[in-house]
Amino acid sequence: MSTTHSPLRAKRSFHIPKLFSPKTTPITGESGYVKQETISFPVPKPEPEDFGFLELAAGADPTLDIVAIHGLDGHRKTTWMAENGKLWLQDFLPADLPNARVLTYGYDANTCNRGRVSTQTIRTHAEKFLQELSRKRQSAPRRPIVFVAHSLGGIILKQALVNSDRYADFCDILPSTHGVLFFGTPHSGANGVKHLQILNKLRSLLKKTTNNLLRHLEPNSDELENLQMYYQRVSEGFETVCFYEEYPTPTIVPRHAATLVGDRKVTREVLHGDHCEMVKFSDSSRSDYQAVLSYLVRWMKEVTGNVVDNTYPSAPQEEPPLVPKLINIPKPVPPGSRVYIRRPKIQSRMDRLLVPNGRRTRQPRCILYGAGGAGKTQLATTWIKEHKALVIVVDASSRRQLEVDLQREIRMVGPEYAKSTWEDAIAYLNNRGGWLLFLDNADFQDFKLDPYLPSSPHGAVLIATRNHNCRNYEPDGAIPVEGLTESEAIELLHTTANIKPASIGASLKIVREIGTLPLAVAQAGAYIFENRRFDSYLATLRERRYQLLREGLLKGTKDSHSAYAAFDLSFRQLPIKAQKLLKIFACFHHTRIPMALFEEAIASGFAPRTGLRSCPPPEGDETIVSNITDILCSPWDERSFQALIDAAQSASFIDTITDTSGSVFYSIHPLLQRYIQDSFGEQGIQYKRMAARILLGVAQRPRESNSWYWQLVPHIDALPQTIKEADLAHTIGFHQVYKSLGFWKDTRKLLKVALSKLQDMHGRAHQDSVRTMGWLAEATRHCGQLEDAQRLEREALAMRIELLRQRHPGSIATMANLANTLQTRRQWEEAVKLQRDLLDMYIEHFGQDHADTITAMHGLADTLRARAQWEEYINSARRALRVHTGFGGYLRDSLTMRTPDSCSSAREV
């Protein structure tokens, strides 16, 4: 024991002058404390012999394994050891639970060390923990387990239990789990993590540091939220107890974070200590130890008394499997909806797949796949009831539940099958016929169904899933279940609401607003039925959409019978980067999102080109660009991007379309898009800015035609006007796209904002202000606001001349625009004067053969013709004809259309 890191030994430390105010609490790890005046860093060097499992008590004929795992900066022994040297797992438990084997697990959880730090993450630590635990339990793989986890160790344990449900190599761990004791585990994050990360930066001057374990422990972490959702699913078969600390510590785990608030199945209890003291018991008579012991004693009695068996099928093993004290009842077919609307095309195809004509040479299979709330289960149960099939219903939402249901079915056959396993159920079906195996909720992406599908052609398989990849179990039998047709959706709305309106106009608006997903339409109908407010529902929906679509079909409930709850399950299963990519998608128009948009944005560096020297991209955009590249990867990696797309597509959230040119586009269901937008919270602005920066990064790249802009415009339109106007560089960038396509109203709206900002920043006479004023004048003229355009052009011309001189190309261009406006407003005299001056300048600058010179000749000739100044017009036209022979036909036609006296001139031409 002398080789371990005893808390009684002096800690090596160094001191840094106090950097924080006297009120600032210093940050410590689990292994010790520091004084207020200085920051002292304990430096336990991680030793390889301290990692892995250590058996603290072998147990007499053990019937239970108690497995402890420490937390951040902890140690497999000292984390649990009191100041008097008592290690309760070793010194107290064996006397109180003599038939328990006690193991403690060590891993490198140090965030700072003089020599080295681990590069492992929560996921890789969890994987290693499972591997070590499986090896340690090889002689008794199904012996019941109770886990004891402190702080970060609880997060690693949760990840390990989730993984054990997914991977066959660890399939014995979860069904053997009888209970879990969490001590101060930050289920939803811990306060002080940011300070620890800052402190690590200071430490890195002298030591090795890592934030690999800290980065997911911040409050409201997406990673922790997703992990908790998975844990709730896999923990249904055992008891969870959460202990929380009574006294605050620097790195505090608040009560709400340590107790899984909202999970009704969890037991919560306070311990009279701080975050470190709560797992150190100096005496077995202490009330805290007795509280912990009470759960362990009860669970030991349950295990030895065979009170509970998880009804989880067991693989062949040395010990005889426990026979569950349950009455085996076949799982019923899920109830159908009272307002089910027939979908004849899908149902007739199900008939052809599941009841084929002629001799069977292969097993009939039908896979119904689509987003949550699309009606897959309703289609399946309706078909089963109409065909009176001999059905075996299994819940495939997890490996555990699927195997439990298959085991239940085989044990229903007769007493001789009382100890049969799920493997026996599959073998039984392979030797029988006339059955239909219905796998509902087969949604998890990492869960392979192959071992659970019988191969006999004399039965049939029906699968309902959100997982797009399940099509591979029978590609020819896969049926996409999407939204209803508009007529079907209206029928469902009227049936659910119990109304018969004289016209379908209002109903059609509602259906188009919420989409045609059956569950969402049924929710709308249920609300109308309860509130009798059909006419005002659409306005209420637009005002309180999140609340209405989050509520269940029964008013006031928030259960699985709501569209948003259905989306929750699939969305939170996705990898974090796939979730973030979908959040960017939700900021675009929901259809025809080009893959090239992301590839070219990466190549461009997301840099908008404004043409104005005084408006570079704002400084805050560096963070935005960093966030985008974190999601998309830079340089462009098509394989990584496709992996995110595959994840989103496998959950039936997006569709991929390839057009005739080979270009790839994505679309997202409009209701899912609204669901994501409604769940943005404070992150909404950031994701909209990310979408804007992606669009701007590709908008200004040189193109041979405007076809690319036509692809971008719907997505630019989808951005809020406030985002397009938020930054001057973005405003100018978006105006250039609109201008190139002739969308003058949108161009003018953006330029008015841009000009106001430029004039506030630099004054009216600044060259960028003047240039933008010219752009605004042009857009104003195209919008038909000629008087305003003329005013702007005069002001811009005066400033151009003052800044640049009259014969500068910029001044000449502004003069040409003013001349065109004057001509359009029939202010002939001034127009002619300006056009003559322009023509002289063009000839002087460019010569008579230049295209701009010829255009100026045309303009002057047009104005003279409009004023019927024929002599001057003919002279001007002949002048143009000498340098541009193509002008002859135009001149001849013009003369012929005028007076008879001009006919001779026309013949001359």
Side-chain angles (χ1 to χ4, degrees):
M1 191 165 136
S2 61
T3 59
T4 61
H5 301 290
S6 170
L8 302 178
R9 293 170 59 188
K11 299 182 179 72
R12 292 182 293 123
S13 62
F14 64 91
H15 299 278
I16 296 178
K18 184 166 60 177
L19 301 177
F20 306 101
S21 69
K23 294 183 179 180
T24 301
T25 309
I27 308 300
T28 68
E30 292 169 9
S31 53
Y33 308 96
V34 296
K35 294 182 179 180
Q36 182 74 34
E37 288 75 16
T38 59
I39 301 174
S40 177
F41 301 127
V43 191
K45 182 180 178 181
E47 301 290 349
E49 58 266 24
D50 294 329
F51 301 152
F53 277 99
L54 175 67
E55 185 176 271
L56 299 178
D61 191 18
T63 56
L64 178 70
D65 279 346
I66 298 176
V67 178
I69 177 170
H70 66 78
L72 193 67
D73 289 331
H75 184 273
R76 66 182 181 181
K77 292 187 71 173
T78 58
T79 287
W80 315 98
M81 187 181 293
E83 290 185 2
N84 63 358
K86 292 295 184 181
L87 177 60
W88 64 277
L89 293 169
Q90 186 176 43
D91 297 329
F92 305 154
L93 269 190
D96 293 320
L97 298 172
N99 298 115
R101 180 172 70 154
V102 182
L103 305 172
T104 181
Y105 181 73
Y107 62 101
D108 191 349
N110 283 20
T111 59
C112 173
N113 189 269
R114 289 187 185 277
R116 59 186 179 182
V117 290
S118 173
T119 60
Q120 299 291 79
T121 64
I122 289 172
R123 290 177 183 269
T124 53
H125 275 307
E127 183 179 352
K128 182 64 174 175
F129 174 72
L130 282 176
Q131 292 167 342
E132 296 271 7
L133 183 59
S134 295
R135 282 193 287 268
K136 197 71 177 176
R137 290 167 47 83
Q138 281 179 346
S139 61
R142 286 303 176 104
R143 180 185 295 154
I145 316 172
V146 168
F147 290 103
V148 177
H150 181 221
S151 191
L152 172 70
I155 301 299
I156 292 173
L157 173 63
K158 287 166 68 174
Q159 184 69 62
L161 290 174
V162 169
N163 288 353
S164 72
D165 187 49
R166 295 178 176 177
Y167 304 113
D169 290 346
F170 311 119
C171 64
D172 290 323
I173 303 296
L174 184 62
S176 302
T177 302
H178 196 82
V180 175
L181 298 178
F182 289 118
F183 292 80
T185 294
H187 299 285
S188 58
N191 297 336
V193 171
K194 281 286 187 186
H195 297 297
L196 279 172
Q197 291 174 330
I198 294 170
L199 205 52
N200 267 353
K201 287 186 178 180
L202 294 174
R203 291 167 163 175
S204 67
L205 300 173
L206 301 172
K207 303 181 180 182
K208 302 291 185 180
T209 64
T210 178
N211 286 330
N212 281 0
L213 296 175
L214 293 173
R215 57 191 175 127
H216 294 310
L217 297 182
E218 294 181 16
N220 304 313
S221 160
D222 289 340
E223 187 82 14
L224 293 182
E225 183 180 349
N226 288 343
L227 179 58
Q228 176 54 25
M229 180 196 66
Y230 297 142
Y231 176 75
Q232 279 186 273
R233 293 172 65 92
V234 302
S235 62
E236 293 176 354
F238 57 82
E239 189 174 349
T240 298
V241 178
C242 289
F243 293 111
Y244 60 96
E245 57 223 53
E246 180 175 8
Y247 302 108
T249 42
T251 310
I252 188 170
V253 179
R255 181 180 184 276
H256 69 85
T259 56
L260 293 173
V261 172
D263 190 337
R264 297 179 182 177
K265 301 175 185 176
V266 172
T267 302
R268 301 167 182 85
E269 187 167 346
V270 67
L271 294 180
H272 306 300
D274 62 22
H275 189 67
C276 300
E277 293 170 344
M278 68 188 306
V279 290
K280 303 175 188 290
F281 308 127
S282 58
D283 190 281
S284 62
S285 63
R286 278 189 55 182
S287 61
D288 283 351
Y289 172 74
Q290 290 297 321
V292 173
L293 181 63
S294 66
Y295 293 102
L296 297 175
V297 169
R298 175 163 61 83
W299 289 341
M300 172 64 85
K301 289 179 179 178
E302 290 174 353
V303 168
T304 56
N306 196 22
V307 175
V308 173
D309 175 24
N310 286 327
T311 70
Y312 197 85
S314 58
Q317 52 189 344
E318 296 175 6
E319 302 174 4
L322 299 175
V323 179
K325 296 182 178 179
L326 297 172
I327 298 175
N328 285 310
I329 301 173
K331 201 175 189 77
V333 177
S337 171
R338 65 178 180 85
V339 291
Y340 177 75
I341 299 300
R342 294 192 64 81
R343 302 168 81 169
K345 288 185 178 179
I346 295 178
Q347 288 172 305
S348 62
R349 190 171 174 197
M350 291 175 68
D351 288 341
R352 293 194 299 271
L353 290 171
L354 294 174
V355 192
N357 296 323
R359 183 181 177 184
R360 295 186 182 182
T361 57
R362 55 187 297 180
Q363 184 186 83
R365 288 183 180 180
C366 174
I367 292 95
L368 302 174
Y369 69 95
K376 304 176 294 295
T377 300
Q378 291 297 325
L379 281 164
T381 55
T382 300
W383 189 94
I384 290 169
K385 290 175 181 178
E386 290 181 353
H387 289 76
K388 297 181 173 57
L390 176 61
V391 64
I392 301 161
V393 180
V394 296
D395 182 352
S397 58
S398 71
R399 184 192 308 277
R400 170 192 171 88
Q401 190 59 53
L402 174 55
E403 294 180 3
V404 165
D405 286 350
L406 285 172
Q407 177 178 280
R408 177 189 288 112
E409 293 295 333
I410 188 62
R411 294 183 180 186
M412 276 291 300
V413 175
E416 66 273 27
Y417 293 95
K419 296 185 179 181
S420 296
T421 66
W422 68 266
E423 291 99 333
D424 298 324
I426 299 299
Y428 182 88
L429 293 176
N430 277 328
N431 292 310
R432 300 294 189 278
W435 48 264
L436 173 67
L437 178 61
F438 173 36
L439 292 87
D440 197 16
N441 303 317
D443 303 327
F444 272 87
Q445 297 178 29
D446 298 331
F447 186 12
K448 304 302 181 184
L449 294 177
D450 303 87
Y452 308 99
L453 299 179
S455 57
S456 170
H458 304 299
V461 172
L462 174 60
I463 301 174
T465 178
R466 305 179 190 193
N467 187 346
H468 207 261
N469 295 331
C470 281
R471 297 175 304 167
N472 298 329
Y473 296 120
E474 185 56 59
D476 294 334
I479 303 176
V481 181
E482 299 170 338
L484 302 166
T485 64
E486 286 188 346
S487 60
E488 290 170 344
I490 290 171
E491 181 185 355
L492 177 59
L493 179 69
H494 292 171
T495 303
T496 312
N498 194 25
I499 58 173
K500 294 182 179 178
S503 141
I504 66 168
S507 304
L508 187 60
K509 288 180 180 178
I510 292 173
V511 165
R512 287 177 176 172
E513 179 75 19
I514 62 176
T516 58
L517 201 70
L519 183 54
V521 176
Q523 275 185 264
Y527 181 89
I528 293 167
F529 176 79
E530 290 184 3
N531 295 276
R532 315 312 301 171
R533 299 293 299 274
F534 177 68
D535 294 338
S536 61
Y537 175 77
L538 194 58
T540 305
L541 175 69
R542 289 170 177 166
E543 182 181 343
R544 298 190 294 124
R545 181 175 61 202
Y546 181 83
Q547 179 183 344
L548 294 188
L549 293 177
R550 176 65 66 185
E551 284 186 348
L553 293 178
L554 297 176
K555 188 175 181 180
T557 66
K558 293 187 178 181
D559 57 15
S560 59
H561 296 293
S562 76
Y564 277 12
F567 288 149
D568 283 342
L569 178 62
S570 298
F571 189 78
R572 291 174 182 174
Q573 284 184 40
L574 295 175
I576 298 298
K577 283 190 177 182
Q579 292 182 26
K580 291 180 177 180
L581 180 63
L582 281 176
K583 289 178 181 179
I584 295 176
F585 274 28
C587 300
F588 298 137
H589 189 269
H590 63 89
T591 61
R592 292 188 67 81
I593 302 170
M595 184 182 83
L597 175 63
F598 303 96
E599 182 178 0
E600 295 199 18
I602 288 287
S604 72
F606 310 99
R609 298 172 176 82
T610 64
L612 301 180
R613 295 179 181 177
S614 63
C615 58
E619 292 182 4
D621 271 18
E622 292 179 4
T623 302
I624 297 296
V625 170
S626 174
N627 291 337
I628 299 172
T629 53
D630 180 58
I631 298 169
L632 300 182
C633 298
S634 180
W636 172 253
D637 183 346
E638 186 171 345
R639 291 182 64 183
S640 297
F641 181 78
Q642 190 58 46
L644 302 181
I645 293 296
D646 289 344
Q649 190 164 271
S650 68
S652 300
F653 280 162
I654 61 172
D655 291 316
T656 303
I657 304 163
T658 304
D659 66 11
T660 53
S661 68
S663 299
V664 177
F665 298 88
Y666 308 108
S667 62
I668 182 171
H669 192 285
L671 185 61
L672 173 66
Q673 183 184 47
R674 294 189 186 102
Y675 156 80
I676 296 173
Q677 292 171 350
D678 288 342
S679 350
F680 269 151
E682 296 180 357
Q683 295 180 330
I685 295 295
Q686 294 302 311
Y687 280 102
K688 289 167 187 173
R689 287 176 65 88
M690 288 163 70
R693 196 61 191 264
I694 289 170
L695 289 164
L696 286 167
V698 300
Q700 302 304 311
R701 301 193 76 186
R703 303 284 170 182
E704 294 180 359
S705 70
N706 283 340
S707 60
W708 177 241
Y709 288 155
W710 285 108
Q711 293 181 24
L712 298 184
V713 160
H715 307 300
I716 296 175
D717 286 344
L719 294 174
Q721 193 69 18
T722 53
I723 293 295
K724 289 184 276 193
E725 296 175 356
D727 300 306
L728 183 57
H730 295 179
T731 305
I732 295 295
F734 284 127
H735 118 268
Q736 291 168 342
V737 177
Y738 283 131
K739 178 181 177 181
S740 68
L741 297 177
F743 291 172
W744 295 109
K745 288 184 179 179
D746 299 287
T747 303
R748 184 172 181 242
K749 185 184 296 186
L750 292 175
L751 286 173
K752 287 176 74 174
V753 172
L755 180 59
S756 175
K757 289 183 177 181
L758 280 166
Q759 289 178 341
D760 288 344
M761 291 167 57
H762 306 299
R764 301 179 70 84
H766 189 273
Q767 58 181 352
D768 284 346
S769 300
V770 175
R771 187 173 187 183
T772 304
M773 186 184 296
W775 291 340
L776 176 59
E778 180 186 16
T780 302
R781 183 175 70 253
H782 282 287
C783 289
Q785 306 293 320
L786 299 180
E787 185 175 351
D788 289 343
Q790 184 174 316
R791 175 182 55 79
L792 288 167
E793 285 163 348
R794 287 188 189 280
E795 185 176 355
L797 179 58
M799 291 182 180
R800 288 263 190 199
I801 292 172
E802 180 180 345
L803 288 171
L804 304 172
R805 76 182 187 282
Q806 185 175 18
R807 296 182 179 273
H808 187 276
S811 303
I812 295 173
T814 305
M815 191 182 301
N817 290 333
L818 176 58
N820 289 338
T821 303
L822 292 168
Q823 184 188 53
T824 305
R825 297 194 69 198
R826 296 178 175 272
Q827 296 181 5
W828 306 117
E829 186 174 347
E830 188 176 0
V832 168
K833 181 180 182 303
L834 208 55
Q835 287 172 326
R836 282 177 173 154
D837 292 342
L838 271 172
L839 182 57
D840 291 341
M841 292 179 192
Y842 279 126
I843 293 172
E844 178 183 343
H845 275 273
F846 308 119
Q848 288 196 355
D849 295 339
H850 194 272
D852 288 344
T853 305
I854 297 169
T855 300
M857 291 179 183
H858 280 251
L860 176 59
D862 281 344
T863 305
L864 293 170
R865 184 183 63 178
R867 296 195 65 192
Q869 293 178 259
W870 299 112
E871 185 175 349
E872 289 185 71
Y873 165 66
I874 291 169
N875 290 335
S876 179
R878 282 174 172 160
R879 185 180 181 183
L881 181 61
R882 283 195 295 270
V883 295
H884 187 208
T885 55
F887 194 68
Y890 172 76
L891 173 60
R892 183 173 56 252
D893 293 340
S894 300
L895 291 172
T896 305
M897 292 169 60
R898 298 298 173 181
T899 63
D901 293 341
S902 64
C903 290
S904 59
S905 296
R907 284 192 295 272
E908 179 184 345
V909 173

